[in-house]
Amino acid sequence: MKGMGRNEADVVHTICQPYGNVLRIVIFKKNGVQAMVEFDGIDPATRAREGLQGADIYSGCCTLRIEYAKPTKLNVYKNDAESWDFTNPNVGMKEPQNTGGNGGGGSSRPPLLQEPRGFGGGMNGQMGGPRGSGGLFNSPMPDSGLMGGGQGQGGPFMGGAGGPGGASLSAMGQPQPGLPQQGAVLMVYGLNKDKMNADRIFNLLCLYGNIVRIKFLKTKEGCAMVQMGDALAVERAVANLNNTTFFGCKMQLGYSKQAFLADVQQPYDLPDGTPSFKDYMGNKNNRFINPEMASKNRIQPPSKILHFFNTPPGLDEDTLKQVFMEGDVIEPKSIKLFPSKTERSSSGLLEFSNISEALEALVVGNHAPIPNPNSKFPFIMKLCFSSSRHIPNKMAE
């Protein structure tokens, strides 16, 4: 990897670890700053190469170039800021180090992130933070080479081909000694097993961050695990969706100890016939794929009013209602089409009787194809929760 600027082994480990188990890291200064990362197998190295290629570590800078290395094993003679052997924490130490000072959980390394101060940056343009875009992390802190606020974002971490940008970050604040850092895998309990599948979970959780993989657990009915784009996306999902009720079940969300979800080669079939595991890396319906897309998102808690967009121009109410009828959910009681600012698409609001009905409509109707009268390719309708309390009788022109 090249062009990383002022980074340390902690930074490299943080951005690589979501793709697999990192064994050793060596950083050296040759034509800039480069690093070699040894994984425990070829598959995680391949995932890391595909996911990190071209990503920015910091907003607008430190663009990564990933290449396969010739050595099959790295030699680490000392655990410090420029090299680390994660299989042997005592490399280069004359005697065990105490846990005081910078490290946590027995490590002598400084904590990776400062305490998060909101969800600013490119994750969404409304949650505080002066920037509407970002790299894998915010700009470096002025007095250190470590990372700033902790917003995992930018490049493929924002969706498409990436994995979680902050899978080892503590989204609840600065890591504490002896406590594991929070990952980017979300536990989902209490799902209606006959109504929910991977795509429907994606349709709901994509409002709060990118989705990497979703896996239903065969041994726990109505339970799934979701690898999201970063730890803060998990935190937002928990904060906004925990204990919501839809399809007659109360969904509960929690944090998983796993850093990532491995591929499932032979998933079993859910009751509706769809696979129990799906990989969403590269899925264009992820909404935080790049800073520009991320800045357009508005993080809202569930409400009985949905905002719809990316629908055909001249859309009528009957076409909208048909989407929900086909999905076997209650259709909206009120529909308001916004005055079109362009002839390329349409948008508006959908009002339901309660939040549960709106949730059901969103998991069914989000990303539903709407026929395009001017092309053989349909529009993919997108839904999100609206901040409106009710649909006004007149919309501003």
Side-chain angles (χ1 to χ4, degrees):
M1 294 181 284
K2 299 182 180 180
M4 292 184 296
R6 298 174 62 195
N7 284 290
E8 299 184 272
D10 279 330
V11 178
V12 178
H13 181 259
T14 299
I15 64 177
C16 292
Q17 181 260 353
Y19 296 95
N21 187 29
V22 176
L23 301 182
R24 299 170 188 87
I25 293 174
V26 174
I27 295 176
F28 53 98
K29 295 176 175 61
K30 180 181 179 182
N31 298 325
V33 179
Q34 302 184 34
M36 299 182 74
V37 180
E38 180 185 347
F39 289 92
D40 64 355
I42 296 176
D43 289 343
T46 301
R47 288 196 299 266
R49 182 178 184 272
E50 293 174 350
L52 291 172
Q53 184 70 270
D56 291 345
I57 294 180
Y58 300 116
S59 178
C61 66
C62 303
T63 302
L64 296 173
R65 289 174 51 192
I66 314 293
E67 300 172 355
Y68 292 116
K70 293 181 179 179
T72 58
K73 181 179 179 180
L74 295 179
N75 294 317
V76 175
Y77 302 101
K78 182 181 180 181
N79 286 341
D80 57 19
E82 295 186 349
S83 62
W84 201 272
D85 187 336
F86 295 94
T87 67
N88 185 357
N90 297 320
V91 169
M93 294 183 180
K94 295 182 179 179
E95 59 184 26
Q97 300 293 309
N98 62 37
T99 58
N102 294 327
S107 170
S108 62
R109 294 178 293 167
L112 185 58
L113 298 178
Q114 300 297 318
E115 183 175 3
R117 293 174 173 81
F119 306 133
M123 294 307 288
N124 84 81
Q126 301 296 310
M127 296 298 289
R131 302 177 65 88
S133 61
L136 300 183
F137 303 98
N138 277 352
S139 300
M141 296 295 288
D143 298 326
S144 75
L146 298 181
M147 289 172 283
Q151 286 86 325
Q153 53 183 301
F157 279 108
M158 299 308 293
S168 64
L169 314 181
S170 171
M172 301 304 293
Q174 187 171 345
Q176 300 298 314
L179 295 179
Q181 297 185 26
Q182 181 192 312
V185 177
L186 177 71
M187 295 299 303
V188 186
Y189 305 95
L191 296 171
N192 185 315
K193 66 180 181 65
D194 297 316
K195 295 285 189 178
M196 293 300 291
N197 57 33
D199 284 344
R200 290 185 172 185
I201 292 179
F202 176 91
N203 288 345
L204 178 58
L205 292 178
C206 72
L207 275 60
Y208 301 99
N210 288 325
I211 309 300
V212 181
R213 297 180 181 93
I214 295 176
K215 179 177 74 172
F216 278 80
L217 303 183
K218 192 171 186 178
T219 57
K220 293 184 179 180
E221 195 173 83
C223 179
M225 302 178 72
V226 182
Q227 181 181 341
M228 300 193 72
D230 53 50
L232 289 177
V234 173
E235 183 181 351
R236 284 195 301 274
V238 172
N240 286 281
L241 295 175
N242 191 31
N243 291 321
T244 51
T245 300
F246 55 101
F247 291 133
C249 298
K250 178 184 285 189
M251 181 178 71
Q252 295 182 311
L253 305 179
Y255 303 96
S256 171
K257 295 180 180 179
Q258 289 190 209
F260 67 98
L261 295 181
D263 288 330
V264 177
Q265 297 299 324
Q266 295 181 321
Y268 67 94
D269 286 341
L270 297 174
D272 66 356
T274 61
S276 61
F277 173 86
K278 290 195 72 173
D279 191 317
Y280 291 91
M281 287 194 293
N283 191 298
K284 295 181 179 179
N285 290 326
N286 270 308
R287 300 186 182 184
F288 299 79
I289 293 176
N290 56 51
E292 181 181 1
M293 290 180 63
S295 66
K296 296 178 180 179
N297 291 293
R298 303 293 181 264
I299 305 300
Q300 298 285 347
S303 67
K304 65 178 183 178
I305 297 181
L306 301 180
H307 171 56
F308 70 89
F309 56 102
N310 198 50
T311 47
L315 181 70
D316 58 54
E317 293 188 9
D318 289 339
T319 301
L320 276 172
K321 291 180 179 179
Q322 187 66 26
V323 171
F324 303 107
M325 291 174 61
E326 291 177 355
D328 196 26
V329 293
I330 297 175
E331 64 186 53
K333 69 175 186 178
S334 179
I335 298 175
K336 191 69 178 182
L337 292 164
F338 290 156
S340 181
K341 297 180 181 180
T342 172
E343 295 301 319
R344 293 183 297 177
S345 65
S346 59
S347 61
L349 297 175
L350 307 170
E351 184 173 2
F352 295 84
S353 297
N354 53 56
I355 291 177
S356 292
E357 289 183 5
L359 280 162
E360 293 167 7
L362 186 140
V363 300
V364 168
N366 199 13
H367 306 123
I370 308 292
N372 182 357
N374 300 316
S375 171
K376 64 179 181 179
F377 299 106
F379 279 77
I380 303 300
M381 179 173 68
K382 297 188 178 183
L383 299 172
C384 62
F385 297 114
S386 172
S387 59
S388 300
R389 300 299 180 186
H390 60 87
I391 294 182
N393 292 327
K394 293 184 179 180
M395 304 298 297
E397 295 293 338

